[in-house]
């Protein structure tokens, strides 16, 4: 028995444009890979064109899948994001394939469950929903990455605290060159450090010039990928208590540790 398939080329192309565009956009957002409009256009154009050509000319299904997965999709990513190391390309490719599987599966499932009158809206609404979800997850991910757990050893005393990643903190000790991480003066009292043990340094912000008292930390650890990693020597700077009142963090990291 022979099967006859009716292919509406305009619908196929439009759906592929939407799917490829959303896939590239979401992968760029999630992997923090810069994607310019020109790159997005070239990537979508190549993906749709090459994919449609393979669909219409390659008769063997397995050969078609091989061409799409091994040739068309990797080249589409390269045209969209530019040249990159193999490791980065593999990461992008994995994210892209996972997104396509989830999005394609949801679309097919909804088309089977919902009435026919909703058919034309399922794909656009699904794509828009995926973009919104990726944006929200990325925002939450970036917000969480703003804070990091740190451990400081000073005069035999260990303190754990939540630190704020602040790339604007460029303060260094002029004598040793060590980066300065800022904590509240309350920690000075808790660590039992007298004024005689501290050394003043001047600094300048948009609010004007001021003086900060610093003390060397014996050891300093920052949480990286689930492990506490020892960092280079740094100085603790004891700032105004008002900097930390009502805040989630107890330390402002130097940009070197961000």
């Amino acid at each position: 028995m022979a099967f006859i398939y009716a292919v509406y080329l305009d619908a196929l192309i439009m759906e592929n444009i939407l799917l490829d565009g959303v896939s590239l956009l979401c992968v760029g957002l999630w992997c923090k890979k810069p994607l310019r409009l020109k790159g997005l256009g070239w990537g979508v154009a190549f993906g749709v064109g090459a994919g449609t050509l393979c669909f219409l000319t390659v008769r063997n299904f397995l050969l078609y899948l091989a061409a799409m997965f091994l040739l068309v999709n990797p080249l589409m990513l390269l045209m969209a994001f530019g040249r990159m190391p193999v490791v980065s390309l593999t990461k992008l490719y994995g994210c892209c394939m996972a997104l396509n599987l989830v999005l394609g599966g949801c679309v097919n499932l909804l088309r089977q469950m919902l009435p026919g009158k909703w058919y034309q809206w399922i794909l656009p609404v699904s794509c828009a929903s995926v973009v919104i979800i990726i944006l929200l997850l990325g925002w939450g991910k970036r917000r969480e990455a703003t804070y990091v757990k740190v451990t400081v050893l000073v005069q035999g005393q260990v303190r754990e605290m939540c630190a704020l990643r602040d790339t604007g903190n460029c303060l260094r000790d002029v004598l040793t060159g060590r980066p300065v991480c800022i904590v509240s003066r309350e920690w000075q009292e808790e660590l039992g450090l007298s004024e005689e043990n501290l050394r003043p340094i001047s600094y300048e912000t948009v609010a004007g010039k001021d003086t900060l008292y610093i003390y060397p930390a014996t050891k300093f650890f920052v949480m990286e990928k689930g492990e506490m990693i020892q960092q280079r020597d740094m100085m603790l700077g004891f700032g105004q208590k008002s900097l930390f009142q009502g805040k989630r963090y107890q330390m402002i990291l130097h940009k070197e540790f961000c």
Side-chain angles (χ1 to χ4, degrees):
M1 179 181 294
F3 292 91
I4 299 176
Y5 293 93
V7 178
Y8 296 92
L9 195 57
D10 56 343
L12 176 66
I13 291 176
M14 290 304 298
E15 286 196 0
N16 284 336
I17 288 175
L18 190 55
L19 286 171
D20 288 347
V22 167
S23 297
L24 292 175
L25 179 62
C26 290
V27 166
L29 290 172
W30 183 254
C31 297
K32 298 180 180 178
K33 196 76 173 175
L35 179 62
R36 294 179 296 181
L37 185 60
K38 183 179 179 180
L40 177 63
W42 279 112
V44 170
F46 175 81
V48 173
T52 303
L53 184 63
C54 289
F55 179 79
L56 295 176
T57 59
V58 179
R59 302 300 180 184
N60 185 286
F61 181 67
L62 293 179
L63 187 59
Y64 166 75
L65 290 180
M68 292 298 299
F69 284 105
L70 302 179
L71 185 63
V72 175
N73 290 333
L75 288 177
M76 179 181 69
L77 290 171
L78 288 173
M79 294 193 72
F81 296 100
R83 297 178 61 182
M84 67 187 81
V86 176
V87 175
S88 299
L89 178 60
T90 303
K91 180 181 178 181
L92 287 180
Y93 186 79
C95 291
C96 189
M97 290 302 98
L99 181 65
N100 282 336
L101 288 173
V102 172
L103 182 57
C106 290
V107 169
N108 289 331
L109 182 62
L110 290 173
R111 282 176 172 173
Q112 294 177 18
M113 296 176 58
L114 296 177
K117 63 180 181 179
W118 297 103
Y119 188 92
Q120 62 181 341
W121 297 105
I122 291 175
L123 181 60
V125 171
S126 298
C127 289
S129 301
V130 168
V131 173
I132 293 173
I133 291 172
I134 291 296
L135 286 172
L136 291 175
L137 291 175
W139 178 80
K141 186 179 178 182
R142 287 192 298 272
R143 182 177 175 84
E144 188 62 30
T146 303
Y147 305 100
V148 63
K149 182 179 179 181
V150 300
T151 301
V152 184
L153 175 63
V154 180
Q155 286 193 331
Q157 302 183 64
V158 178
R159 294 292 184 271
E160 293 184 354
M161 60 187 77
C162 177
L164 170 70
R165 298 183 189 270
D166 184 6
T167 55
N169 177 17
C170 306
L171 190 61
R172 288 184 180 274
D173 177 16
V174 294
L175 295 181
T176 64
R178 294 182 179 182
V180 177
C181 295
I182 304 172
V183 295
S184 172
R185 286 183 182 172
E186 294 176 346
W187 289 98
Q188 174 190 340
E189 302 168 1
E190 185 172 329
L191 293 169
L193 300 175
S194 62
E195 296 289 342
E196 294 76 16
N197 294 327
L198 306 181
R199 180 158 49 82
I201 60 171
S202 298
Y203 69 97
E204 186 174 358
T205 65
V206 292
K209 295 183 178 180
D210 204 345
T211 300
L212 192 72
Y213 290 88
I214 61 174
Y215 188 85
T218 308
K219 289 184 179 181
F220 181 52
F221 299 84
V222 176
M223 179 74 76
E224 295 181 5
K225 297 181 180 180
E227 297 183 8
M228 298 300 292
I229 306 298
Q230 184 171 350
Q231 307 295 322
R232 60 164 291 184
D233 295 335
M234 70 91 170
M235 307 291 287
L236 280 179
F238 299 97
Q240 298 290 339
K241 296 180 181 179
S242 58
L243 289 174
F244 303 91
Q245 287 178 349
K247 299 296 193 301
R248 172 181 172 180
Y249 53 88
Q250 297 83 44
M251 174 185 286
I252 301 176
L253 285 177
H254 186 274
K255 71 172 187 177
E256 186 172 309
F257 306 119
C258 296

